[in-house]
């Protein structure tokens, strides 16, 4: 039956009305005011009672349904869930690239960058063999907070050429199971309270929102322009919603490829200081060094610089590096220890040997050369189209011409054997997705197949569908 008496007081919570209503729904279920199976008022009815727009109620119902708090039945209404609360994530963060035969009809996966093998296999074999020869008692012990110091000292070389001032040391580093784990470590270290707020670019790497949800945080989108996150929009979001962490990608925004200029970086850092935000600076795509100061250099007291080897050497090794703010390295390593004790000794041994032998930087350069050639192919294929790209980056951002919708283009491309990502996969919450797609470089696919696949995309682009769905 419909719960006709429930009318929450939204003034008890600061911030937007839809989030206040979500909190009221959680509290109503927790206290038993909303019993399992109870039918909630219709969107329009509750909107009228609370003097809010129907869109506010619909958005709150949608979030509570995604959380498993409510159930929606088509034609019957919205009910308090009678099932156990849904546990854990509900969608994959990464979809396995297809492994198929090398023929004209094989599917080419351009959703996520795939590394070419430029010698990694042999280098990893050699590093593993050397590690096995020196296997000792340390493999029987827990990693510990300081037992990875030798690895942290070795990987400092990764940041040669970066603008970090004051210079970083091994004490500033936290080792992680890849970049995504690094983002999680930072959020676990910095977020406080029952429902903290994380601010993100309005369309961004989906891993930000997944990490925020795992840490029970609400994600607030912040507007972008052609230089990335807009400082005034970040300031306004902080004033309205509060916030503890802001996630930005200043060197190569994912998916748009835009780069922040020097003044924009200073402005973002100033807003972060004003509102006491911790900054996650995502550098997992390791775009070529631009000569611009990193946010870690501009605001070293609050910036966590996150990078990994996944896009340049090996995704399978799951090795990431977090440069913590000044004096926060130990806190970051303690957070990692509380989560997984520390990286396995075989991993730190292998990575250390890759760096000390010189293989790591050599492989990085060789992989970037191959990917640069693939990037040239993509830019040439879409000459005359509106694309975003950077030299050395492993994806492009293609804004579609009149006649195409991103979802339609992705479906047609898939039917032609090419997989890519539509812009709506990067949008936060209910924002408006631009009419664009992201196309990643398939470094592991033979160049001839890559040429054929990109040729298909170019032909598709020139022939928009003539019919409109109604």
């Amino acid at each position: 039956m419909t719960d006709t008496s429930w009318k929450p007081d939204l003034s008890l919570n600061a911030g937007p009305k839809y989030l206040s209503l979500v909190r009221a729904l959680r509290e109503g279920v927790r206290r038993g005011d909303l019993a399992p199976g109870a039918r909630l008022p219709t969107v329009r009815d509750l909107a009228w009672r609370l003097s809010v727009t129907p869109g506010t109620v619909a958005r709150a119902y949608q979030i509570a349904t995604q959380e498993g708090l409510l159930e929606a039945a088509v034609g019957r209404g919205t009910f308090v869930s009678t099932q156990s609360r849904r546990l854990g994530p509900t969608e994959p963060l990464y979809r396995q690239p297809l492994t198929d035969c090398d023929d004209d009809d094989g599917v080419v996966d351009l959703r996520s960058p795939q590394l070419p093998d430029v010698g990694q296999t042999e280098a990893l074999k050699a590093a593993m063999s050397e590690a096995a020869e020196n296997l000792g008692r340390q493999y029987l012990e827990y990693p510990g907070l300081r037992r990875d110091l030798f690895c942290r000292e070795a990987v400092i070389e990764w940041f040669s050429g970066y603008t970090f001032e004051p210079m970083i040391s091994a004490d500033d580093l936290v080792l992680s199971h890849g970049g995504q784990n690094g983002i999680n470590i930072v959020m676990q270290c910095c977020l406080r309270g029952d429902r903290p707020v994380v601010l993100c670019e309005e369309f961004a790497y989906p891993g930000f929102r997944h990490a925020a949800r795992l840490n029970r945080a609400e994600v607030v989108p912040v507007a972008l322009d052609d230089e990335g996150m807009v400082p005034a929009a970040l300031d306004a979001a902080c004033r309205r919603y509060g916030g503890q962490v802001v996630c930005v990608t200043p060197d190569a925004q994912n998916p748009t490829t835009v780069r922040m200029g020097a003044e924009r970086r200073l402005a973002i850092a100033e807003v972060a200081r004003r509102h006491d935000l911790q900054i996650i600076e995502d550098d997992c795509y390791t775009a070529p060094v631009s000569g611009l100061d990193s946010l870690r250099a501009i605001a070293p007291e609050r910036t966590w610089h996150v990078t990994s080897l996944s896009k340049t050497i090996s995704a399978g090794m799951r090795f990431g590096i977090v440069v913590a703010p000044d004096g926060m390295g130990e806190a970051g390593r303690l957070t990692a220890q509380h989560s997984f004790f520390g990286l396995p000794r075989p991993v730190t041994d292998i990575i250390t040997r890759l760096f000390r032998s010189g293989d790591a930087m050599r492989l990085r350069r060789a992989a970037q050369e191959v990917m640069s050639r693939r990037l040239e192919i993509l830019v040439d294929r879409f000459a005359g189209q509106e694309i975003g790209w950077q030299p050395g980056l492993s994806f492009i951002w293609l804004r579609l011409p009149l006649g195409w919708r991103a979802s339609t283009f992705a479906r047609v491309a898939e039917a032609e054997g090419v997989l890519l990502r539509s812009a709506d996969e990067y949008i936060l919450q209910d924002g408006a997705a631009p009419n664009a797609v992201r196309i990643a470089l398939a470094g592991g696919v033979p160049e001839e197949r890559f040429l054929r696949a990109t040729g298909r995309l170019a032909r598709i682009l020139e022939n928009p569908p003539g019919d409109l769905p109604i």
Side-chain angles (χ1 to χ4, degrees), residues 146-196:
R146 295 173 183 83
R147 287 179 176 160
D148 65 358
L149 177 60
F150 68 96
C151 188
R152 286 186 274 125
E153 289 175 338
V155 302
I156 281 287
E157 184 186 5
W158 190 256
F159 301 101
S160 59
Y162 279 69
T163 308
F164 283 137
E165 191 65 43
M167 294 301 293
I168 62 172
S169 71
D171 286 339
D172 296 314
L173 304 188
V174 182
L175 304 184
S176 65
H177 291 288
Q180 180 66 21
N181 180 233
I183 292 169
N184 263 301
I185 289 171
V186 178
M187 290 193 183
Q188 289 165 359
C189 190
C190 298
L191 296 178
R192 297 291 183 270
D194 292 334
R195 200 67 176 174

Side-chain angles (χ1 to χ4, degrees), residues 147-325:
R147 287 179 176 160
D148 65 358
L149 177 60
F150 68 96
C151 188
R152 286 186 274 125
E153 289 175 338
V155 302
I156 281 287
E157 184 186 5
W158 190 256
F159 301 101
S160 59
Y162 279 69
T163 308
F164 283 137
E165 191 65 43
M167 294 301 293
I168 62 172
S169 71
D171 286 339
D172 296 314
L173 304 188
V174 182
L175 304 184
S176 65
H177 291 288
Q180 180 66 21
N181 180 233
I183 292 169
N184 263 301
I185 289 171
V186 178
M187 290 193 183
Q188 289 165 359
C189 190
C190 298
L191 296 178
R192 297 291 183 270
D194 292 334
R195 200 67 176 174
V197 171
V198 172
L199 302 124
C200 293
E201 298 148 336
E202 62 182 341
F203 38 100
Y205 166 57
F208 287 141
R209 66 174 182 263
H210 287 291
R213 287 172 182 167
L214 282 177
N215 289 282
R216 303 177 309 285
E218 292 175 357
V219 180
V220 172
V222 180
L224 298 174
D225 64 11
D226 58 3
E227 278 196 84
M229 184 176 283
V230 178
L234 176 60
D235 184 67
C238 288
R239 294 179 188 278
R240 184 174 183 184
Y241 306 111
Q244 295 176 9
V245 171
V246 58
C247 304
V248 289
T249 47
D251 278 322
Q253 203 278 334
N254 182 15
T256 65
T257 78
V258 301
R259 171 177 286 166
M260 280 188 184
E263 291 185 7
R264 175 63 58 87
R265 295 172 191 234
L266 291 170
I268 291 292
E270 176 56 32
V271 175
R273 288 192 178 105
R274 189 181 311 144
H275 295 281
D276 195 23
L277 295 173
Q278 296 290 302
I279 302 170
I280 296 180
E281 180 179 28
D282 180 13
D283 186 41
C284 287
Y285 272 96
T286 58
V289 176
S290 64
L292 296 170
D293 284 344
S294 66
L295 288 172
R296 175 59 173 71
I298 295 169
E301 81 285 357
R302 63 186 61 252
T303 301
W304 304 75
H305 184 98
V306 181
T307 188
S308 80
L309 309 190
S310 297
K311 306 298 190 298
T312 49
I313 296 178
S314 169
M317 285 302 297
R318 306 310 309 136
F319 186 84
I321 311 166
V322 178
V323 183

